[in-house]
Amino acid sequence: MPAVSKGDGMRGLAVFISDIRNCKSKEAEIKRINKELANIRSKFKGRDKALDGYSKKKYVCKLLFIFLLGHDIDFGHMEAVNLLSSNKYTEKQIGYLFISVLVNSNSELIRLINNAIKNDLASRNPTFMCLALHCIANVGSREMGEAFAADIPRILVAGDSMDSVKQSAALCLLRLYKASPDLVPMGEWTARVVHLLNDQHMGVVTAAVSLITCLCKKNPDDFKTCISLAVSRLSRIVSSASTDLQDYTYYFVPAPWLSVKLLRLLQCYPPPEDAAVKGRLVECLETVLNKAQEPPKSKKVQHSNAKNAILFETISLIIHYDRCPPGGGGGGGGPGSFLQHRETNLRYLALESMCTLASSEFSHEAVKTHIDTVINALKTRLPKDPSCQLKCTGLSRALSRSPVAQPFRVVRNLLTFGRTPEGRYSDPDVLKVAILAEKYAVDYSWYVDTILNLIRIAGDYVSEEVWYRVLQIVTNRDDVQGYAAKTVFEALQAPACHENMVKVGGYILGEFGNLIAGDPRSSPPVQFSLLHSKFHLCSVATRALLLSTYIKFINLFPETKATIQGVLRAGSQLRNADVELQQRAVEYLTLSSVASTDVLATVLEEMPPFPERESSILAKLKRKKGPGAASALDDGRRDASSNDINGGVEPTPSTVSTPSPSADLLGLRAAPPPAAPQAPAGAGNLLVDVSSDGPVAQPGLGPTPEEAFLSELEPPAPESPMALLADPAPAADPGPEDFGSPIPEADELLNKFVCKNNGVLFENQLLQIGVKSEFRQNLGRMYLFYGNKTSVQFQSFTPTVVHPGDLQTAQLAVQTKRVAAQVDGGAQVQQVLNIECLRDFLAPPLLSVRFRYGGAPQSLTLKLPVTINKFFQPTEMAAQDFFQRWKQLSLPQQEAQKIFKATHPMDAEVTKAKLLGFGSALLDNVDPNPENFVGAGIIQTKALQVGCLLRLEPNAQAQMYRLTLRTSKEPVSRHLCELLAQQF
Amino acid sequence: ARIVFLLPQHFHFNLMPVFLFVLQTPKKKITRELVQTVLARKPKMCSFLEWRDLKIVYKRYASLYFCCAIEDQDNELITLEIIHRYVELLDKYFGSVCELDIIFNFEKAYFILDEFLLGGEVQETSKKNVLKAIEQADLLQEEVSVISHSYTVSEITLKHAR
């Protein structure tokens, strides 16, 4: 080991650090630092004698140390830049360090820094080159990108670059690309980068994989060849003995970092098409899964961590391919077995994997085999660690959406988590549990139990609707009334019980208390005194309810009459300051005194069953999205998008986030038919009737529209589970030739939906089709509502989405849910479509609806209102940026222009609304002419993003418009231009 | 990894060194929040926690916590081993490293990190290769300090580097 340069280089620095450490108080420390800062400042300013390199280095180091202690440093940059330009390695190194840590945006300084970096990059001295590359990678600013993004690819693929330089160059380029992707030019170097996967030097391969993984996300086709190279590299690593790779073996695990990175790279692509490559990959994955079963080669945690890191990444890849792994063990075989593990870290990750599995469409079977382990882990092995608990809750939420999980167990578990401080409920959670409970109720006593439990645990968050609903159900089902009475009676015996419990208890006992009166432990006087013991602790509303219960008691149990009359007569009731209470007391007292038993029995008869209408809970949901929601979707969408731009951070659909209740309903509708008879009606009602004249309200817009939307949106996927890595089976869709061509007015109908997402798509005397849709990024969800306007049932009702000839499934994937084959007269059915935009496309998919009406076959083909602009993400930018980009897109084929006559009145506000509805951001203060509109946005598809700039120039005198679009793709420019031109 | 940092378990005062090795120096408020979050963890808790939109992976070695903030899709276990490999590197270089070594030679800790991780990604996982690079640089440094006042330094440096 070389002597570490302790002291010999910078004694002054060591002295200073010891001084700081010896300070006895914070004040002393600050004083010492201020003294040092003053000293350094004067040294840097000193004109009498120039500082030598060594002193500069020492002072710059001291400044760095002071910065690390948490103090602001606002000088010394110039000295650091001087050090950069030094020829002495050690000075240069410190200079670069200072610049990397204390980035400064002073433009003059940046020019000097860039100059120094440029010299070092050109120096052909690998040590200097590495220093310069490290600095660029650490700073990663746009200015540096502008200066060097073009040079670094050259250094990276140059034949004579040293390995270490290549490594640094690859990661440096990655950093620049992440910071400003537009600055890194793609070119012939990309092909050579892919070949770095074959490099002899494992370090070069490691760095190159990171770079390729990032680059290929935007340009999958350019890097496609990396699949086979990655597979063969992976296969060589996986099959190597633990000593083959020498220093790249980590605790007997060969090249774990590289393996993980390669597995991650493969997750950017679908399963390999080439049979040989596929076979080799399957072999690799099997080897990893088998190795996981082998006894460990070392007891060290590093060994198992590295091994499991690869295993988890393998499972991720398998989940990505969305199949079960070979061997029939089930994808859950991996993570499921970890749930039993003693190690907290592993258990956490196992839970996370299970979450992913549970939310994946095709692994339900795998999860099912482990469901008991999961529930067990959730219940008994609940770690004391909040992050694990959080994951557990996330998992049970994911499971609750999974049709295979036995939902009532999940609900029960949700209730269990509610008792932990970390799992405390919020309002939407409670509503969610209540809905789940109702939907999945296997019998009503279980339902009553669950809701009462819920009130007990999370009483504060139980809204009126939730407990109204339990009352409705109990009143309507005479088979649970006795049980409910008994249960509430027991619940009320708890010393502290929530007021909502008192309400439910009061109501149920008042109605059905007689059913349990036979038991001496719950005889009428006992019931009454139990309720009355809570009376004084309750709010006015609850007391009023209890007074009604008392008068009902007089009817049910004549023996309690005297006692109750005594209570009513008490001064505290008859002269109560609250009008409502006073009135009830007076009226009930008089009623009980003057009315005969018969009259009393009639007046106070048991409540009639509630009309079987929608669930009050569902009604609440509906209200939440209430009137005026028509604009909410658009607003929500816009807000969400602008958040994106400002924050730059994608709101990731996290499994632990609280999905809004509406999101759940969407999920539930896809679930198997619930046992509760009321449920279907409720669910149907929830869908707001699009045929009504009022503004169209939205489903799926809870308090957090974008999150809820995303958290439920599963990417469209093929219909059936397939074997690992099997070729995707040809789509089962019947060919478009089976369907008639679209009706003549289809184009016109489509045009109505270019700038809006909701409304009536089609209507004739038989059928009305309503549409609501939401789009985000490259994903969309569309609800189609088919309303039967006649009084006769439609038979064999089959709506189908077909792709016309040129719209391949490679451009747009539409996944539909089946609808019932019969539509009753006057009824409405709903169909959900999940849409994923894979590439840019021109023609919309077709919707073909076929059914029999009174024996006569009817068929109808429409254009589905999915146009490329739905996948617009608005982009705000400053005028300067706009013009710069506008200029960049100056090739003639990138521009599309149209001059056309206005077909609607030329109203600026309406135009604005249309442009926003179109999806682009409107940019103010860009166009010198305030009459003109300027917009920008990015079309998000899975494969690529297309930036779009648009400009609309109205000419009020001539009643004409000129519309100009510039995008990076020629057909997109033309298509958008055509779509938009028809809107004005 | 977006942020890599290490912090001592016991602060001398509340301002004693919190070493941060970062892509972008986070705002002070964020630093403080991170530090508090990590120090509040109990020994038996798992090494991963979700924090804002990131995941924190941390491990305690003696009195120092080594932490990485990674993104959602990153692999936690392998990050834990990144930390371990970095500690191994420090240990080999300093010869059973202790907190003081890092404090007094913080610039070396940075240089080693730069060879191992760059721009938040693993650059070189071989212990030998990383240390070879650092040792080479140290040799340059020593040459320089031997002839520190000579004007021929630059030539020697260059010769050596080739």
Side-chain angles (χ1 to χ4, degrees):
Chain A
M1 208 70 301
V4 176
S5 58
K6 281 174 197 148
D8 66 343
M10 293 179 281
R11 178 149 292 133
L13 175 65
V15 169
F16 174 61
I17 295 176
S18 330
D19 276 4
I20 295 284
R21 288 185 59 81
N22 290 334
C23 286
K24 291 277 182 291
S25 70
K26 196 178 162 191
E27 290 70 34
E29 183 191 307
I30 292 175
K31 209 172 143 199
R32 178 70 185 86
I33 286 172
N34 284 338
K35 187 178 148 207
E36 193 64 40
L37 285 175
N39 173 38
I40 298 172
R41 223 183 276 267
S42 78
K43 283 284 188 323
F44 282 169
K45 281 206 183 123
R47 306 240 164 110
D48 40 342
K49 51 171 186 170
L51 283 177
D52 57 9
Y54 165 78
S55 312
K56 260 188 218 159
K57 186 178 85 175
K58 182 178 74 185
Y59 292 130
V60 163
C61 259
K62 282 183 181 175
L63 286 179
L64 203 49
F65 187 78
I66 295 171
F67 174 77
L68 292 175
L69 291 177
H71 298 265
D72 293 325
I73 297 294
D74 54 4
F75 68 104
H77 294 84
M78 194 45 85
E79 285 70 20
V81 173
N82 285 342
L83 289 175
L84 279 194
S85 326
S86 160
N87 275 329
K88 293 184 194 167
Y89 178 77
T90 123
E91 289 173 15
K92 196 183 269 297
Q93 202 182 20
I94 297 291
Y96 271 124
L97 179 60
F98 186 90
I99 298 296
S100 305
V101 176
L102 280 120
V103 188
N104 188 297
S105 53
N106 175 323
S107 59
E108 177 59 10
L109 212 55
I110 286 172
R111 203 181 52 77
L112 289 172
I113 295 169
N114 282 356
N115 221 2
I117 293 178
K118 191 153 263 169
N119 287 338
D120 283 335
L121 285 182
S123 70
R124 308 189 62 77
N125 174 338
T127 329
F128 285 10
M129 285 171 89
C130 281
L131 277 183
L133 290 167
H134 290 178
C135 179
I136 304 174
N138 286 329
V139 176
S141 67
R142 194 166 173 89
E143 289 88 354
M144 286 201 173
E146 278 162 358
F148 303 111
D151 294 341
I152 294 171
R154 198 177 35 75
I155 297 175
L156 174 59
V157 297
D160 57 346
S161 287
M162 301 265 291
D163 289 332
S164 59
V165 174
K166 278 189 197 164
Q167 282 168 283
S168 301
L171 295 178
C172 181
L173 191 58
L174 170 61
R175 179 74 209 281
L176 291 181
Y177 183 79
K178 277 187 185 163
S180 9
D182 54 313
L183 291 180
V184 178
M186 294 296 140
E188 54 94 37
W189 61 273
T190 53
R192 300 172 67 181
V193 166
V194 173
H195 281 277
L196 288 179
L197 291 180
N198 262 339
D199 203 283
Q200 300 257 307
H201 191 281
M202 295 278 272
V204 173
V205 184
T206 311
V209 178
S210 299
L211 176 64
I212 295 169
T213 306
C214 182
L215 293 179
C216 77
K217 282 182 187 144
K218 288 273 165 61
N219 320 284
D221 289 341
D222 294 357
F223 293 91
K224 222 169 175 175
T225 44
C226 74
I227 304 176
S228 62
L229 293 178
V231 169
S232 73
R233 181 55 88 163
L234 184 67
S235 141
R236 265 179 283 161
I237 296 171
V238 170
S239 56
S240 67
S242 53
T243 48
D244 286 357
L245 299 176
Q246 292 156 357
D247 210 32
Y248 288 92
T249 300
Y250 180 81
Y251 291 86
F252 303 103
V253 181
W257 286 280
L258 183 52
S259 309
V260 166
K261 278 172 185 290
L262 288 168
L263 288 163
R264 184 140 290 277
L265 171 61
L266 290 171
Q267 286 172 51
C268 300
Y269 285 96
E273 286 153 15
D274 183 287
V277 176
K278 193 199 293 174
R280 207 158 176 201
L281 179 55
V282 173
E283 233 167 68
C284 282
L285 300 182
E286 273 174 343
T287 313
V288 173
L289 293 176
N290 291 339
K291 272 194 182 170
Q293 310 292 326
E294 286 171 13
K297 292 201 178 68
S298 154
K299 285 211 171 82
K300 287 239 158 89
V301 67
Q302 282 77 23
H303 171 72
S304 65
N305 277 353
K307 208 165 123 179
N308 289 325
I310 300 175
L311 177 62
F312 278 115
E313 210 57 58
T314 305
I315 293 170
S316 297
L317 178 65
I318 295 171
I319 294 175
H320 168 73
Y321 289 159
D322 226 347
R323 317 286 138 79
C324 292
S337 54
F338 287 114
L339 287 175
Q340 312 274 1
H341 217 281
R342 285 207 317 280
E343 225 232 319
T344 346
N345 288 342
L346 273 185
R347 208 155 46 199
Y348 173 90
L349 292 172
L351 285 167
E352 181 165 273
S353 286
M354 295 297 287
C355 270
T356 323
L357 269 176
S359 52
S360 147
E361 283 260 325
F362 295 105
S363 307
H364 290 322
E365 283 307 311
V367 180
K368 200 174 177 180
T369 53
H370 289 283
I371 192 99
D372 282 316
T373 325
V374 175
I375 299 282
N376 198 26
L378 293 178
K379 256 200 316 229
T380 58
R381 294 173 165 270
L382 200 71
K384 291 237 163 48
D385 184 336
S387 15
C388 274
Q389 285 181 351
L390 215 58
K391 249 321 156 228
C392 280
T393 320
L395 174 57
S396 61
R397 284 188 185 144
L399 284 177
S400 68
R401 286 201 284 265
S402 150
V404 295
Q406 288 184 22
F408 63 95
R409 284 202 282 180
V410 172
V411 173
R412 190 183 303 154
N413 278 295
L414 279 172
L415 288 173
T416 319
F417 298 124
R419 291 192 196 132
T420 64
E422 288 79 12
R424 190 159 286 159
Y425 281 117
S426 58
D427 180 26
D429 274 349
V430 167
L431 199 59
K432 181 182 150 82
V433 173
I435 291 167
L436 278 176
E438 184 176 334
K439 289 281 182 184
Y440 290 127
V442 275
D443 66 66
Y444 284 98
S445 53
W446 178 79
Y447 172 76
V448 170
D449 273 348
T450 306
I451 298 292
L452 291 182
N453 253 332
L454 193 62
I455 294 174
R456 197 163 64 221
I457 297 163
D460 281 344
Y461 301 103
V462 172
S463 54
E464 288 179 345
E465 291 79 0
V466 172
W467 66 266
Y468 285 177
R469 183 64 187 154
V470 75
L471 295 183
Q472 269 184 23
I473 286 188
V474 170
T475 308
N476 290 3
R477 310 285 313 188
D478 45 16
D479 49 337
V480 283
Q481 289 163 356
Y483 180 78
K486 184 160 161 278
T487 316
V488 287
F489 180 78
E490 278 160 12
L492 285 173
Q493 281 172 325
C497 80
H498 197 274
E499 193 169 329
N500 278 332
M501 184 66 90
V502 178
K503 287 182 187 166
V504 175
Y507 187 94
I508 291 184
L509 290 181
E511 294 291 325
F512 313 112
N514 54 330
L515 298 175
I516 56 167
D519 188 332
R521 282 169 299 176
S522 52
S523 66
V526 177
Q527 287 187 33
F528 173 73
S529 56
L530 180 60
L531 279 178
H532 199 57
S533 68
K534 316 278 180 196
F535 187 88
H536 300 282
L537 303 169
C538 292
S539 66
V540 170
T542 310
R543 286 194 215 181
L545 187 146
L546 285 178
L547 288 180
S548 303
T549 304
Y550 295 168
I551 187 72
K552 290 216 161 204
F553 270 15
I554 293 182
N555 175 42
L556 287 178
F557 316 120
E559 67 267 38
T560 58
K561 185 169 176 178
T563 326
I564 291 174
Q565 281 183 334
V567 169
L568 293 175
R569 199 175 289 124
S572 57
Q573 307 305 338
L574 279 186
R575 282 191 291 281
N576 196 298
D578 187 89
V579 180
E580 176 70 28
L581 289 182
Q582 194 188 48
Q583 191 180 352
R584 284 197 190 204
V586 172
E587 285 175 4
Y588 291 163
L589 184 60
T590 320
L591 181 67
S592 67
S593 322
V594 297
S596 71
T597 327
D598 286 350
V599 172
L600 213 54
T602 317
V603 171
L604 299 174
E605 202 184 4
E606 196 177 291
M607 291 293 273
F610 288 86
E612 277 295 347
R613 49 164 194 241
E614 63 192 303
S615 148
S616 58
I617 303 174
L618 297 175
K620 170 167 185 182
L621 276 177
K622 193 168 154 184
R623 249 206 323 285
K624 270 193 174 171
K625 292 162 245 138
S631 59
L633 178 75
D634 288 330
D635 291 344
R637 180 180 164 198
R638 207 154 297 131
D639 286 346
S641 319
S642 58
N643 279 347
D644 269 5
I645 287 165
N646 298 338
V649 183
E650 224 33 54
T652 39
S654 143
T655 40
V656 293
S657 69
T658 310
S660 92
S662 48
D664 249 59
L665 281 180
L666 303 183
L668 284 172
R669 273 191 241 115
Q678 296 88 340
N685 280 343
L686 179 77
L687 315 171
V688 183
D689 186 9
V690 279
S691 46
S692 65
D693 290 325
V696 182
Q698 311 306 322
L701 268 183
T704 52
E706 68 281 13
E707 189 193 27
F709 181 54
L710 279 183
S711 65
E712 274 302 307
L713 203 58
E714 285 152 5
E719 295 284 341
S720 59
M722 282 177 252
L724 179 70
L725 300 182
D727 274 320
D733 279 0
E737 61 276 8
D738 292 348
F739 299 95
S741 49
I743 56 170
E745 59 271 38
D747 277 320
E748 198 186 313
L749 295 171
L750 179 72
N751 274 338
K752 284 204 305 188
F753 283 87
V754 167
C755 294
K756 64 175 187 173
N757 288 330
N758 309 299
V760 174
L761 176 63
F762 173 80
E763 185 159 13
N764 63 12
Q765 57 284 33
L766 302 179
L767 178 70
Q768 184 197 49
I769 305 179
V771 178
K772 285 195 238 301
S773 49
E774 296 168 298
F775 294 89
R776 227 177 114 57
Q777 307 274 351
N778 67 324
L779 300 177
R781 172 170 280 202
M782 179 175 283
Y783 302 88
L784 292 172
F785 303 93
Y786 304 98
N788 180 346
K789 289 172 69 184
T790 70
S791 52
V792 182
Q793 196 186 47
F794 290 163
Q795 305 277 346
S796 340
F797 186 80
T798 35
T800 324
V801 174
V802 282
H803 297 285
D806 55 340
L807 180 71
Q808 300 301 320
T809 36
Q811 290 174 322
L812 195 70
V814 182
Q815 186 198 24
T816 54
K817 297 240 159 81
R818 219 155 278 212
V819 298
Q822 278 86 31
V823 185
D824 287 334
Q828 191 186 60
V829 295
Q830 179 199 212
Q831 187 179 30
V832 186
L833 270 54
N834 284 328
I835 301 164
E836 185 182 17
C837 181
L838 305 170
R839 294 192 66 86
D840 51 301
F841 62 97
L842 303 181
L846 300 179
L847 173 70
S848 161
V849 184
R850 290 195 293 187
F851 58 95
R852 297 178 79 83
Y853 167 66
Q858 305 280 336
S859 109
L860 170 76
T861 304
L862 296 167
K863 293 194 172 176
L864 205 60
V866 181
T867 42
I868 184 77
N869 65 297
K870 300 291 180 196
F871 304 98
F872 240 129
Q873 192 177 4
T875 313
E876 298 287 348
M877 59 177 81
Q880 185 191 349
D881 293 333
F882 182 87
F883 287 119
Q884 192 191 347
R885 282 168 210 213
W886 185 263
K887 275 188 209 120
Q888 279 167 1
L889 297 170
S890 56
L891 295 175
Q893 63 268 31
Q894 288 173 331
E895 181 178 289
Q897 194 172 69
K898 215 166 180 159
I899 299 172
F900 52 94
K901 235 183 159 40
T903 49
H904 299 280
M906 295 177 83
D907 179 330
E909 285 310 308
V910 175
T911 309
K912 218 180 254 180
K914 281 182 178 166
L915 286 172
L916 288 173
F918 192 65
S920 70
L922 271 184
L923 306 177
D924 293 330
N925 306 325
V926 171
D927 202 303
N929 180 352
E931 300 294 310
N932 293 348
F933 299 93
V934 167
I938 298 169
I939 290 189
Q940 304 275 353
T941 76
K942 194 179 178 203
L944 59 133
Q945 298 184 323
V946 184
C948 305
L949 303 174
L950 68 87
R951 185 175 190 215
L952 180 70
E953 298 155 278
N955 181 340
Q957 270 185 322
Q959 288 289 302
M960 300 277 280
Y961 286 101
R962 179 163 69 179
L963 174 65
T964 316
L965 263 133
R966 286 188 177 185
T967 79
S968 43
K969 287 201 80 171
E970 180 192 356
V972 176
S973 303
R974 265 190 288 119
H975 185 55
L976 285 176
C977 190
E978 278 160 24
L979 282 176
L980 192 54
Q982 282 154 350
Q983 302 300 318
F984 299 102
Chain B
R2 288 252 292 264
I3 307 171
V4 182
F5 62 102
L6 55 138
L7 56 112
Q9 184 195 7
H10 304 290
F11 291 104
H12 193 169
F13 320 115
N14 44 3
L15 278 186
M16 268 325 266
V18 173
F19 286 94
L20 290 162
F21 305 93
V22 290
L23 291 183
Q24 278 139 339
T25 313
K27 299 228 164 60
K28 268 190 190 164
K29 185 170 152 262
I30 295 185
T31 312
R32 212 176 314 130
E33 199 186 310
L34 258 172
V35 168
Q36 281 164 356
T37 316
V38 173
L39 291 183
R41 304 282 291 177
K42 304 215 164 53
K44 291 273 167 164
M45 289 183 171
C46 84
S47 305
F48 319 128
L49 63 137
E50 280 159 35
W51 177 81
R52 298 180 172 219
D53 57 336
L54 297 172
K55 294 188 286 197
I56 308 232
V57 176
Y58 71 91
K59 191 161 180 188
R60 188 177 147 189
Y61 290 86
S63 60
L64 279 181
Y65 284 91
F66 289 74
C67 319
C68 287
I70 56 175
E71 277 161 68
D72 192 43
Q73 71 275 14
D74 291 333
N75 188 315
E76 296 93 341
L77 278 176
I78 209 73
T79 311
L80 201 57
E81 295 318 301
I82 285 181
I83 292 178
H84 187 74
R85 174 59 34 124
Y86 180 54
V87 175
E88 281 182 352
L89 286 168
L90 292 175
D91 197 62
K92 191 93 185 271
Y93 181 76
F94 287 107
S96 41
V97 66
C98 70
E99 190 182 332
L100 283 185
D101 287 324
I102 301 180
I103 292 174
F104 278 93
N105 301 281
F106 65 93
E107 78 281 8
K108 296 282 181 206
Y110 266 113
F111 299 146
I112 295 174
L113 188 77
D114 268 350
E115 291 293 334
F116 176 47
L117 284 183
L118 188 58
E121 296 284 343
V122 177
Q123 174 169 225
E124 176 56 80
T125 62
S126 155
K127 220 159 37 174
K128 270 188 207 142
N129 289 354
V130 172
L131 291 175
K132 205 164 70 194
I134 298 287
E135 279 158 27
Q136 252 175 8
D138 279 339
L139 280 175
L140 287 183
Q141 196 151 331
E142 290 192 351
E143 301 268 336
V144 172
S145 49
V146 169
I147 351 169
S148 58
H149 295 292
S150 153
Y151 287 103
T152 54
V153 171
S154 58
E155 288 168 40
I156 293 169
T157 317
L158 286 173
K159 199 191 290 168
H160 196 96
R162 291 208 181 101

